[in-house]
Amino acid sequence: MAVADAENPLLGETTCGSLLQKLQQIWDEVGESDEERDKMLLQLEQECLDVYKRKVDQAVKSRAHLLQALADAQLELSRLLSALGEKSFVGIPDKTSGTIKEQLAAIAPTLEQLWKQKEERVKEFSDVQTQIQKICGEIAGNSNLSEVPVVDEADLSLKKLDEFQGQLQELQKEKSDRLHKVLEFVSTVHDLCAVLGMDFFSTVTEVHPSLNDSTGVQSKSISNDTLSRLAKTVLALKEDKKQRLQKLQELATQLIDLWNLMDTPEEERSLFDHVTCNISASVDEVTIPGALALDLIEQAEVEVERLDQLKASRMKEIAFKRQAELEEIFARAHIEIDPEAARAKIMALIDSGNVEPSELLADMDNHIAQAKEEAFSRKDILDKVEKWMSACEEESWLEDYNRDENRYNSSRGAHLNLKRAEKARILVNKIPALVDTLVAKTRAWEEDHGIPFTYDGVPLLAMLDEYAMLRHDREEEKRRMRVRLTRLLCEGQMGSSMFPHWTQLILT
């Protein structure tokens, strides 16, 4: 070091050797002792050691920091891989190859890529959890949640993300089902309000404002409370519909009874077709808008009240009309009654006020029904009575015809009378069989009914017996006349001019 040049010609710069050489030259010029020189050189050496020691300490600390950074990076890498659920990752460098800085430089891109992937995964988790939170809030009836869901960054694996997405899909399906149910309820409320004549919008928005048609489908409330209130509203409207229909059907029945009671014309009845058309309808069958509106029910009530008041004043007219119908049935059936007494009885009942008009008319309707039934049971016998009476008329005409001495003259219409006489003889010959049939049927009828069969107040069997006796008497008279005529002819006591007349009497 003492022999070193003050300046290194090769380096062209100041060195420790050149400085020491320069120092020795100065010491030589000054005349420093060797003891001083050794002391100063020892001091210089100590100072150099201190500098090196500081540098070494700094290098040790720097290495420790780098090792810690490498350990932290490797730990962060492990945490990221664990959080992302990655067991391995392409591009992870060998942990033992290269210097510390090289290892740090090698792991940095992988960390950066994993950090970026973590940020994207956190965003995905946040989006899914936000949607889950939103739907849960809608179901709970609290759709104004402002809190951002906390993402658990310790588990950002795809498996966990799939779990959240599966939960979200279930909630989305539940939301869709709830929304479908809400729309069904709203549609039902709309239809019921239309039938009942109620304001749909005020009814449905009273349940929840979002159910108004002006709001979008996805904006409608699907909460448990909304569904519950909608269900209660539908039940209430259905019960109201049921009660109104029952009331309307009662009014329709009263109207029809009153119309029938007073023989109201069809033109007047048709004004309330919208009331009577649902008289036998079930609740589900009534779907026409306004069919059960309150004003319609009130209109029917007013009409029933009006007809009730009118009923009393028209009661006598209606009752006498029923009585006339009853008398006509009896007349056609040839049943004798006392119409004056019946009408007096009706008048007394109405004037007394002791009987309801509807009960009186119902009683008269029963009498009419019984009269029709009795007339029907008599129809077969009456038809044969008419045939018998018609045959009797022909028999009487035939007798008159046979007594006419000019019946064979070629006068106008003689041939027609001749034809009628031929038909009359055929019909008259059937009378005995017809009478026998009538007697048998009449007796059978009387046995079934336990009363005599009368014709215009006269027992039919008595009429038939009387006719049979008269016919027998006529036959006996004819037989005696034939015997007498025969005897006279044989004795020659009858002139030739009388022969045709008596001969005809014998033949008939």
Side-chain angles (χ1 to χ4, degrees):
M1 189 177 294
V3 296
D5 296 333
E7 292 184 2
N8 191 337
L10 295 177
L11 296 176
E13 59 182 10
T14 301
T15 64
C16 290
S18 64
L19 289 174
L20 183 58
Q21 186 179 5
K22 185 70 174 176
L23 184 59
Q24 287 177 345
Q25 289 177 357
I26 295 172
W27 285 344
D28 288 341
E29 293 178 3
V30 172
E32 289 288 344
S33 63
D34 291 336
E35 184 179 353
E36 286 292 330
R37 291 185 181 190
D38 291 338
K39 185 179 178 180
M40 293 180 67
L41 288 173
L42 184 62
Q43 185 180 356
L44 284 173
E45 185 176 357
Q46 186 61 44
E47 290 179 357
C48 288
L49 285 173
D50 291 339
V51 171
Y52 275 109
K53 186 177 180 181
R54 284 197 302 273
K55 291 298 183 183
V56 169
D57 290 340
Q58 290 176 1
V60 169
K61 288 181 180 179
S62 178
R63 183 185 63 182
H65 286 310
L66 289 173
L67 288 172
Q68 185 61 46
L70 180 60
D72 292 342
Q74 291 173 342
L75 181 61
E76 179 69 9
L77 180 64
S78 299
R79 281 200 298 265
L80 287 171
L81 290 174
S82 175
L84 295 172
E86 302 286 350
K87 295 181 179 180
S88 61
F89 191 80
V90 179
I92 296 178
D94 186 2
K95 295 181 181 180
T96 59
S97 62
T99 63
I100 298 174
K101 289 185 176 182
E102 289 175 345
Q103 292 183 48
L104 279 172
I107 203 173
T110 303
L111 283 174
E112 185 177 354
Q113 187 175 354
L114 288 175
W115 281 329
K116 183 177 180 181
Q117 185 174 345
K118 177 185 176 182
E119 289 177 359
E120 294 175 352
R121 192 71 59 82
V122 168
K123 186 177 182 304
E124 290 181 38
F125 270 82
S126 180
D127 291 342
V128 172
Q129 288 179 241
T130 299
Q131 294 181 61
I132 290 174
Q133 186 184 54
K134 180 181 178 183
I135 296 176
C136 288
E138 291 175 355
I139 293 174
N142 184 14
S143 57
N144 296 323
L145 295 177
S146 59
E147 296 182 2
V148 178
V150 178
V151 178
D152 182 11
E153 297 188 6
D155 188 357
L156 298 173
S157 63
L158 291 175
K159 179 181 178 182
K160 188 68 174 179
L161 182 60
D162 289 341
E163 290 178 2
F164 277 118
Q165 288 176 338
Q167 183 182 355
L168 176 60
Q169 288 177 354
E170 291 179 0
L171 287 171
Q172 286 173 336
K173 184 179 182 303
E174 182 178 356
K175 177 180 178 179
S176 177
D177 293 341
R178 284 170 171 264
L179 184 58
H180 181 68
K181 197 166 186 178
V182 165
L183 294 177
E184 281 186 345
F185 275 135
V186 170
S187 177
T188 303
V189 171
H190 178 273
D191 294 342
L192 288 170
C193 286
V195 174
L196 297 172
M198 298 172 60
D199 185 8
F200 163 69
F201 292 107
S202 62
T203 302
V204 80
T205 52
E206 186 177 345
V207 175
H208 197 277
S210 67
L211 300 180
N212 194 309
D213 281 348
S214 61
T215 61
V217 173
Q218 296 299 324
S219 301
K220 297 190 182 299
S221 173
I222 58 171
S223 66
N224 293 330
D225 180 64
T226 298
L227 284 170
S228 175
R229 295 182 66 184
L230 274 173
K232 290 178 181 178
T233 301
V234 169
L235 285 176
L237 290 174
K238 285 184 176 180
E239 181 62 26
D240 194 12
K241 180 181 179 182
K242 179 181 177 182
Q243 292 178 359
R244 289 195 191 183
L245 178 60
Q246 184 177 356
K247 177 66 175 177
L248 192 70
Q249 288 175 338
E250 291 175 356
L251 291 170
T253 302
Q254 293 177 32
L255 280 174
I256 292 175
D257 290 342
L258 289 168
W259 288 338
N260 294 335
L261 191 67
M262 295 185 287
D263 293 331
T264 304
E266 287 297 328
E267 295 78 11
E268 188 175 340
R269 298 188 186 199
S270 63
L271 298 176
F272 289 88
D273 284 345
H274 56 292
V275 175
T276 57
C277 65
N278 293 319
I279 190 169
S280 60
S282 64
V283 175
D284 294 334
E285 290 174 342
V286 181
T287 57
I288 299 175
L292 299 177
L294 285 176
D295 57 347
L296 185 146
I297 295 175
E298 291 173 358
Q299 180 186 9
E301 288 177 337
V302 170
E303 180 64 11
V304 167
E305 184 177 355
R306 185 185 73 83
L307 291 176
D308 266 333
Q309 294 174 354
L310 183 63
K311 177 180 66 176
S313 62
R314 294 190 58 190
M315 198 60 237
K316 291 180 181 179
E317 175 187 346
I318 297 168
F320 286 149
K321 188 174 182 181
R322 293 281 201 285
Q323 180 61 25
E325 182 181 355
L326 183 63
E327 292 171 3
E328 184 180 354
I329 294 171
F330 283 137
R332 288 198 303 266
H334 294 277
I335 299 173
E336 191 176 51
I337 60 172
D338 187 355
E340 294 299 329
R343 289 173 181 267
K345 182 179 178 181
I346 293 172
M347 182 73 74
L349 284 172
I350 294 175
D351 291 340
S352 68
N354 295 329
V355 63
E356 281 290 329
S358 57
E359 292 179 3
L360 174 61
L361 293 183
D363 185 55
M364 296 188 71
D365 287 338
N366 289 334
H367 286 319
I368 291 172
Q370 292 171 3
K372 288 180 178 179
E373 185 178 350
E374 185 176 356
F376 181 77
S377 71
R378 294 165 60 92
K379 185 176 184 304
D380 187 30
I381 295 176
L382 291 176
D383 289 343
K384 287 181 170 49
V385 168
E386 289 181 6
K387 290 181 180 179
W388 170 56
M389 289 185 172
S390 177
C392 289
E393 290 178 1
E394 288 299 300
E395 184 182 31
S396 177
W397 178 86
L398 184 60
E399 290 179 356
D400 293 340
Y401 176 75
N402 288 331
R403 286 192 292 268
D404 185 5
E405 296 180 359
N406 300 320
R407 61 185 179 279
Y408 297 118
N409 294 340
S410 58
S411 59
R412 185 175 181 180
H415 66 288
L416 297 177
N417 288 332
L418 182 60
K419 287 183 178 180
R420 179 179 176 182
E422 292 175 358
K423 293 180 179 179
R425 290 189 185 95
I426 296 173
L427 187 60
V428 168
N429 290 333
K430 294 179 179 179
I431 289 178
L434 181 60
V435 169
D436 292 341
T437 302
L438 259 176
V439 170
K441 285 185 174 292
T442 303
R443 286 176 177 168
W445 187 95
E446 290 181 349
E447 288 179 4
D448 289 340
H449 292 76
I451 56 174
F453 188 102
T454 60
Y455 187 91
D456 292 336
V458 180
L460 181 59
L461 288 178
M463 294 172 62
L464 293 172
D465 289 342
E466 183 180 357
Y467 172 78
M469 292 175 62
L470 291 174
R471 185 179 178 85
H472 180 267
D473 292 342
R474 286 199 304 269
E475 292 296 329
E476 284 294 320
E477 180 66 22
K478 288 180 181 179
R479 186 184 65 78
R480 286 194 297 269
M481 290 180 66
R482 283 196 295 269
V483 171
R484 181 181 176 188
L485 180 60
T486 303
R487 186 172 64 251
L488 291 174
L489 288 172
C490 293
E491 294 176 354
Q493 296 181 7
M494 182 178 293
S496 59
S497 61
M498 298 179 62
F499 181 78
H501 173 71
W502 287 101
T503 301
Q504 185 62 38
L505 287 176
I506 294 171
L507 292 177
T508 58

